[in-house]
Amino acid sequence: MSNRKIQMPREVYIDPGIIKDTADICKSLHLDKKILIVTGEHTYDVGAKPVIESLESENIDYDVIKVNNASEESISQVEELITLDTTVLGVGGGKVIDVAKLSSYNQGVYFVSMPTTASHDGIVSPMASIKNPDTSISVAAHSPIAVIADSEVLAQSPFRLLAAGCADLIANFTAIKDWELAHRLKNESFSESAAALSIMSAHLITDNIANIKPNLEPSARIVMKSLFSGGMAISIAGSSRPASGSEHLFSHALDKILDKPALHGEQCGIGTIMMMYLHGGNWKEIRNSLKAVQAPTTAKELGIADEDIIDALVMAHKIRPERYTILGDNGISKEAAYELAYKTEVI
């Protein structure tokens, strides 16, 4: 019998204007002794300021720290400000939330996720992506005690970020195919419920693709709800398997190769086109969905050289050798990588 616990947020708010109720939500959860707001330079005005106004209206003690990247150094800086009665509010994009999530986990205090962009599924998952000098690693942390996602704030963020969030969700289609493959060939443990939830999250995007448009609050709400259910699939599985397969390995390989990578979701989207081709699935449907939300589908649109795409494809299987995918244990040859990228019109 497995004793592994499934962590999920206690309360979730995905509504327009909900950021103004931050103080009330913290009080209702008894998280109002001391608040540490972790935010970024760009997200301070749109996210942290209305949070501060809400906390001040209820005389809640708070501190603010701005972080620029999801690094060990940033985590250490945040941890220094955490005491036993602190609640950490991550108010910002993916990097800010990952730092808030891991620093609060390391210090054994609660964390509230308050995304200002809907660009990837780390908003609610118990995993955090931390960058080291050489690579980006995914580490286990904890799920937020609450999620406060203001769909008006999300809608105001650059549409490119929302499109990247859609692409990260569309990647679930190949991630599940890889997971099923690993289950069949390597006897890896597999969760039907996590897989079903992951696929449902991806379908929420592809089935509503015509409704996802710039600066529309309902569009932001659709993407945020999809990211939430995708994050829940990760919680149920106890790993990132439901949302991360060969397409993510390809993206991580690009991160290693490039001085300035594109957005995580954008890279995963292009990876999904190619990996769906390898799986023998409908890669053109993936490409059409990405085009419909204005996500890039070619190396040129991504601003990346053709050679870097090839090199990333060849390197991808080495990124997490313990994670079996369609790329196999030995990866693909340079010739096969070129053929793959060419046939799917990525290059």
Side-chain angles (χ1 to χ4, degrees):
M1 191 181 92
S2 169
N3 291 321
R4 188 182 67 77
K5 65 179 177 181
I6 296 172
Q7 275 197 339
M8 295 197 176
R10 191 181 299 171
E11 294 185 5
V12 178
Y13 302 85
I14 305 173
D15 293 294
I18 195 69
I19 201 166
K20 294 168 187 164
D21 297 337
T22 302
D24 289 339
I25 294 167
C26 288
K27 283 173 86 171
S28 74
L29 289 164
H30 306 292
L31 303 175
D32 55 337
K33 277 189 180 173
K34 187 188 172 195
I35 299 284
L36 175 61
I37 299 167
V38 181
T39 191
E41 288 292 340
H42 300 301
T43 53
Y44 180 82
D45 287 339
V46 292
K49 268 190 179 173
V51 168
I52 288 166
E53 284 168 19
S54 177
L55 297 177
E56 286 181 345
S57 71
E58 295 291 333
N59 297 313
I60 296 173
D61 185 26
Y62 70 89
D63 207 344
V64 181
I65 180 169
K66 293 178 183 175
V67 298
N68 297 316
N69 47 42
S71 64
E72 299 286 356
E73 186 186 4
S74 296
I75 291 160
S76 297
Q77 287 169 352
V78 173
E79 284 181 23
E80 282 173 21
L81 299 176
I82 296 174
T83 59
L84 280 176
D85 56 359
T86 300
T87 297
V88 178
L89 266 57
V91 186
K95 294 183 183 74
V96 164
I97 285 172
D98 281 339
V99 170
K101 187 189 296 182
L102 203 57
S103 55
S104 61
Y105 173 71
N106 290 344
Q107 295 301 306
V109 299
Y110 286 124
F111 145 67
V112 176
S113 179
M114 300 189 67
T116 54
T117 64
S119 58
H120 73 69
D121 56 21
I123 291 161
V124 292
S125 80
M127 311 296 290
S129 183
I130 302 302
K131 285 205 171 0
N132 289 328
D134 298 328
T135 185
S136 173
I137 56 161
S138 194
V139 293
H142 58 176
S143 289
I145 186 77
V147 177
I148 305 172
D150 192 314
S151 46
E152 280 177 355
V153 172
L154 296 172
Q156 287 163 22
S157 71
F159 187 66
R160 183 187 172 193
L161 297 173
L162 201 70
C166 292
D168 201 16
L169 282 157
I170 289 167
N172 291 8
F173 287 122
T174 45
I176 295 300
K177 284 185 178 293
D178 283 324
W179 196 14
E180 288 170 335
L181 192 67
H183 176 58
R184 290 196 299 271
L185 297 184
K186 300 286 184 178
N187 201 29
E188 187 177 315
S189 62
F190 182 79
S191 164
E192 295 281 356
S193 52
L197 191 54
S198 174
I199 292 295
M200 185 203 78
S201 307
H203 274 300
L204 264 173
I205 297 302
T206 55
D207 294 349
N208 287 288
I209 214 98
N211 302 321
I212 298 170
K213 294 186 171 73
N215 306 315
L216 279 182
E217 182 274 328
S219 297
R221 208 173 339 149
I222 288 169
V223 179
M224 185 59 224
K225 284 181 176 178
S226 306
L227 290 170
F228 172 73
S229 54
M232 287 298 89
I234 294 170
S235 293
I236 291 166
S239 85
S240 59
R241 259 301 194 183
S244 175
S246 48
E247 73 299 316
H248 272 64
L249 299 180
F250 164 75
S251 176
H252 292 319
L254 278 178
D255 289 343
K256 284 187 93 139
I257 290 165
L258 301 170
D259 291 332
K260 202 167 183 296
L263 293 174
H264 167 78
E266 291 177 337
Q267 294 181 171
C268 290
I270 283 188
T272 305
I273 297 171
M274 296 188 286
M275 300 310 156
M276 188 58 88
Y277 177 92
L278 290 181
H279 275 289
N282 193 340
W283 62 272
K284 286 183 178 175
E285 196 176 326
I286 298 292
R287 186 182 62 182
N288 291 343
S289 295
L290 292 169
K291 280 182 175 177
V293 290
Q294 300 173 37
T297 59
T298 67
K300 190 177 180 184
E301 288 171 356
L302 208 54
I304 290 173
D306 292 357
E307 301 78 53
D308 291 331
I309 297 284
I310 307 303
D311 289 346
L313 284 169
V314 172
M315 183 202 290
H317 72 288
K318 295 176 185 170
I319 299 292
R320 292 189 69 174
E322 80 287 356
R323 178 155 289 189
Y324 191 80
T325 70
I326 192 69
L327 297 170
D329 292 322
N330 301 314
I332 59 175
S333 68
K334 199 158 191 172
E335 295 74 23
Y338 176 83
E339 191 77 4
L340 170 61
Y342 180 75
K343 277 187 174 167
T344 51
E345 299 171 26
V346 168
I347 62 171

